[in-house]
Amino acid sequence: MASGFGAPIDDNVDVSAGKYFNTDIPIGKRPIDDADLHNQRKRRRSQSCELTSDDTNDVRNTTSISTIIKAVERLSTEPRLVADGSRENVLTTTVGKHNDLNAITPQTMSDVLNGVYRNQIDHLTIVDCRYPYEYDGGHIKGAINLYNKQAIKEFLDNTVTSPNKNHVIIFHCEFSTERGPKLYRLLRSLDRELNAELYPRLNFPEMYLLEGGYKEFFQTHKEHCFPQSYMPMLHKKHSEDLRHFRVKSKSWAAGDKPRQKSRVNGSGTRLCF
């Protein structure tokens, strides 16, 4: 016999009076009376209505995972969005050496300093990741010198941000090939950890890397530099300074895990960090 819901019902089931129960009683067991059926149904109803704390946590975790999946899907299909998905990037990006990071050209950096984006950027921080003797030998006007892990941590801990303000950060080092990208990724990683319970929220969702670094920028836009000079990291005058800062850099990097490659989703779209 077939039910109205498309599922077969056994011929030994009585569906009269709008309810059914199995009339095929197992051999060797006493018949189930009405009182037993009532108690069994009552127990089943009670059990089905009880939610343990683990059940509640499972529901919360499922909701959280669902939110994360939706956020990742949105960020992977809309590359113009900042890293928390709250808005689009203000600056035009370019294809750089590190395709998991947002990169800008020296010309775009110059446009920022010339006020082209003054109505779109509420606060700008330029992070110069070179060693102090390089920074002192010439840097972009207004840049701050953060060249190690501790400085990045303190910057994150001590900088007040607001979701209503567009705070843009631009990283660079001499060539923007190693130190700048490394500290860019570090700040993003620490920011993710800080906001882990509120993913994809970030304190600093909009960050960029100056492609070509200070060297290339100085060659074409030295009017934005102070003093108007360029001190290479490998200058023989600062060989002792270089040794000193490299030792310090290795000491704080020793405990870091190797950087994972940027992930690629099923469609082949590379997710920006």
Side-chain angles (χ1 to χ4, degrees):
M1 183 172 98
S3 72
F5 298 98
I9 295 181
D10 195 291
D11 289 336
N12 292 324
V13 173
D14 182 357
V15 294
S16 61
K19 57 185 178 181
Y20 65 88
F21 20 149
N22 197 338
T23 59
D24 188 8
I25 302 172
I27 298 174
K29 295 185 178 179
R30 68 179 181 80
I32 301 175
D33 58 24
D34 289 343
D36 289 333
L37 285 171
H38 175 74
N39 291 333
Q40 289 178 10
R41 289 171 182 164
K42 185 175 181 181
R43 283 195 298 270
R44 283 197 296 270
R45 283 197 300 269
S46 176
Q47 291 170 357
S48 66
C49 293
E50 292 177 358
L51 278 178
T52 65
S53 59
D54 290 340
D55 294 329
T56 303
N57 289 334
D58 287 342
V59 172
R60 289 175 179 171
N61 290 338
T62 300
T63 303
S64 177
I65 292 172
S66 174
T67 301
I68 291 173
I69 290 174
K70 288 179 181 178
V72 171
E73 288 177 345
R74 184 162 181 254
L75 290 170
S76 65
T77 56
E78 300 180 47
R80 283 292 301 162
L81 293 176
V82 298
D84 66 355
S86 61
R87 60 181 183 274
E88 289 191 354
N89 286 308
V90 168
L91 305 183
T92 301
T93 57
T94 186
V95 177
K97 301 181 187 73
H98 301 267
N99 57 5
D100 61 323
L101 307 179
N102 286 327
I104 61 171
T105 64
Q107 181 57 53
T108 299
M109 178 80 258
S110 178
D111 290 341
V112 171
L113 296 172
N114 285 329
V116 174
Y117 298 93
R118 66 168 60 91
N119 295 327
Q120 297 162 276
I121 297 176
D122 297 306
H123 190 78
L124 171 69
T125 299
I126 302 171
V127 179
D128 189 330
C129 304
R130 297 175 301 157
Y131 298 136
Y133 67 88
E134 298 173 83
Y135 175 86
D136 293 339
H139 57 267
I140 298 174
K141 294 176 182 177
I144 60 174
N145 189 205
L146 307 178
Y147 62 93
N148 59 30
K149 184 176 183 178
Q150 185 59 36
I152 292 295
K153 284 183 174 181
E154 291 176 358
F155 174 78
L156 178 61
D157 292 340
N158 298 328
T159 305
V160 178
T161 61
S162 168
N164 301 320
K165 298 292 184 180
N166 188 7
H167 189 156
V168 170
I169 299 181
I170 301 175
F171 284 83
H172 77 83
C173 54
E174 184 174 7
F175 308 108
S176 287
T177 56
E178 183 177 351
R179 292 174 289 174
K182 184 175 183 178
L183 293 182
Y184 179 133
R185 294 186 182 101
L186 174 63
L187 179 58
R188 177 55 50 79
S189 178
L190 294 174
D191 203 351
R192 286 288 185 207
E193 290 177 11
L194 183 65
N195 292 283
E197 299 299 322
L198 300 170
Y199 185 91
R201 176 178 170 179
L202 289 165
N203 286 18
F204 302 105
E206 188 165 1
M207 304 198 305
Y208 302 91
L209 180 69
L210 174 60
E211 190 66 17
Y214 181 79
K215 180 179 181 181
E216 186 172 330
F217 184 80
F218 176 76
Q219 289 173 347
T220 54
H221 301 284
K222 62 176 62 178
E223 71 276 8
H224 291 300
C225 302
F226 178 84
Q228 289 189 6
S229 58
Y230 161 47
M231 176 64 68
M233 181 183 75
L234 297 178
H235 196 287
K236 59 182 180 181
K237 175 183 174 183
H238 292 281
S239 57
E240 287 298 320
D241 293 324
L242 175 60
R243 187 176 299 108
H244 168 75
F245 288 114
R246 274 188 166 170
V247 169
K248 291 187 67 175
S249 296
K250 287 180 180 179
S251 67
W252 67 255
D256 291 351
K257 296 179 180 179
R259 180 175 61 86
Q260 295 181 348
K261 295 181 179 179
S262 57
R263 296 182 178 181
V264 179
N265 65 10
S267 64
T269 303
R270 189 170 295 278
L271 304 181
C272 280
F273 190 74

